[in-house]
């Protein structure tokens, strides 16, 4: 009798397990595994296809989005909305994940930064592993040498219309491409780049590029929040704690413009009342409008 009296409890427990809520799934999206051979690491590609993808043979512009664990659904949804309600052309969105098994902070510090900081006291977000930095060049080679061919093979994309989308450290990776292989992408959308990183190393990279090149063939949209500036009473420096990101970006953009590179097109947009955490959707929207065509 005692066994029978427990059966309803067991049934309720079983039903509660079976009735666990399903995860929300983004329509027309796929997840692909990819091995970075030289890096000896595994990543995933999150791919969002436009609504019309299955209906014809069109090849679409393709957006490559870093920090995909948070940025991919934002980019996918905004790009889709701009198409449906503002007439902007459809795109394929490819999100680049963090390395499998790595924490997000650990992975992006290593993969998106151009150097190991000359001075730092960073702690690792992965117990037992020292923080890693400075692999942007190698990671960039993985993107261009392995991700690009994979996407070109498996999807109908126009590889002559590739857009890079990054924010913060992700924009450092974008600047790595810009100042080393600018033709890797046809358009860069760079939000709030961490130009303070490693005592302003990207200012040094820009100066070195200008000293050895007569042109920088690239289209760049810079965006930043109007609140990403130094607090009153603090002295500006090239350090994370005393960085004026707004002033840094204005200075960097002015330097690029002063070079008068014939093939360079840049635009800087400051979004008042937005900060580092809130500005990304605004940067993305206006960055897409600066490159994608209207179908209306």
């Amino acid at each position: 009798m005692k066994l029978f009296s427990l059966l309803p409890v067991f049934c309720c427990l079983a039903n509660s397990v079976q009735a666990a809520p399903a995860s929300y799934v983004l329509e027309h999206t796929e997840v692909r595994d990819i091995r970075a051979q030289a890096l000896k690491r595994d990543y995933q590609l999150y791919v969002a296809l436009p609504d019309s993808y299955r209906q014809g043979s069109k090849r679409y512009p393709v957006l490559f989005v870093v920090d995909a664990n948070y940025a991919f659904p934002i980019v996918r949804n905004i790009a889709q909305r701009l198409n449906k309600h503002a007439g902007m052309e459809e795109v394929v969105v490819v999100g680049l994940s963090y390395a499998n098994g790595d924490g997000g902070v650990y992975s992006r510090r290593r993969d998106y930064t151009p150097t190991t900081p000359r001075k730092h006291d960073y702690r690792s977000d992965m117990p037992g592993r020292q923080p890693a930095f400075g692999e942007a060049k190698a990671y960039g080679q993985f993107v261009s040498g392995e991700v690009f061919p994979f996407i070109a093979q498996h999807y109908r994309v126009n590889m002559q219309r590739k857009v890079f989308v990054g924010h913060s450290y992700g924009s450092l990776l974008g600047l790595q491409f810009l100042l080393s292989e600018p033709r890797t992408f046809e358009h860069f959308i760079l939000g709030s780049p961490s130009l303070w990183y490693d005592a302003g190393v990207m200012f040094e990279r820009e100066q070195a590029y200008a000293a050895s090149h007569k042109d920088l063939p690239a289209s760049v949209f810079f965006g930043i929040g109007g609140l990403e500036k130094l607090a009153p009473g603090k002295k500006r420096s090239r350090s994370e704690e005393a960085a004026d990101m707004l002033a840094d970006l204005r200075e960097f953009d002015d330097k690029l413009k002063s070079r008068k590179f014939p093939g360079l097109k840049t635009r800087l947009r400051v979004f008042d009342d937005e900060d580092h955490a809130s500005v990304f959707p605004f940067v993305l929207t206006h960055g897409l409008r600066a490159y994608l065509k209207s179908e209306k």
Side-chain angles (χ1 to χ4, degrees), residues 80-125:
Q80 184 182 77
R81 187 168 182 84
L82 288 174
N83 168 256
K84 289 184 176 181
H85 301 289
M88 194 169 291
E89 60 185 317
E90 291 180 297
V91 297
V92 169
V93 179
V94 177
L96 303 168
S97 81
Y98 302 130
N100 292 357
D102 285 353
V105 173
Y106 189 95
S107 186
R108 70 196 302 264
R109 277 179 178 169
R110 178 194 58 217
D111 291 345
Y112 299 170
T113 58
T115 55
T116 297
R118 286 160 279 194
K119 294 181 180 180
H120 76 84
D121 57 357
Y122 292 108
R123 295 183 178 180
S124 175
D125 66 326

Side-chain angles (χ1 to χ4, degrees), residues 118 194-205 238-239:
R118 286 160 279 194
S194 301
L195 288 164
W196 50 263
Y197 182 80
D198 192 12
V201 67
M202 277 305 177
F203 287 93
E204 300 169 17
R205 295 280 182 92
R238 302 277 195 229
S239 68

Side-chain angles (χ1 to χ4, degrees), residues 26 28-32 45-49 54 72 154-155:
L26 294 174
H28 307 310
T29 62
E30 301 175 357
V31 178
R32 300 277 194 152
L45 304 176
Y46 311 148
V47 182
L49 302 173
R54 308 296 183 191
F72 173 75
H154 290 91
Y155 298 97

Side-chain angles (χ1 to χ4, degrees), residues 22-65:
S23 298
Y24 180 79
V25 177
L26 294 174
E27 292 182 330
H28 307 310
T29 62
E30 301 175 357
V31 178
R32 300 277 194 152
D33 295 317
I34 186 167
R35 175 73 173 174
Q37 296 297 334
L39 301 178
K40 296 181 173 56
R41 293 193 288 269
D42 295 307
Y43 294 84
Q44 289 184 319
L45 304 176
Y46 311 148
V47 182
L49 302 173
D51 290 345
S52 67
Y53 187 84
R54 308 296 183 191
Q55 301 169 3
S57 58
K58 178 181 176 179
R59 293 189 175 274
Y60 298 85
V62 54
L63 314 183
F64 290 90
V65 184

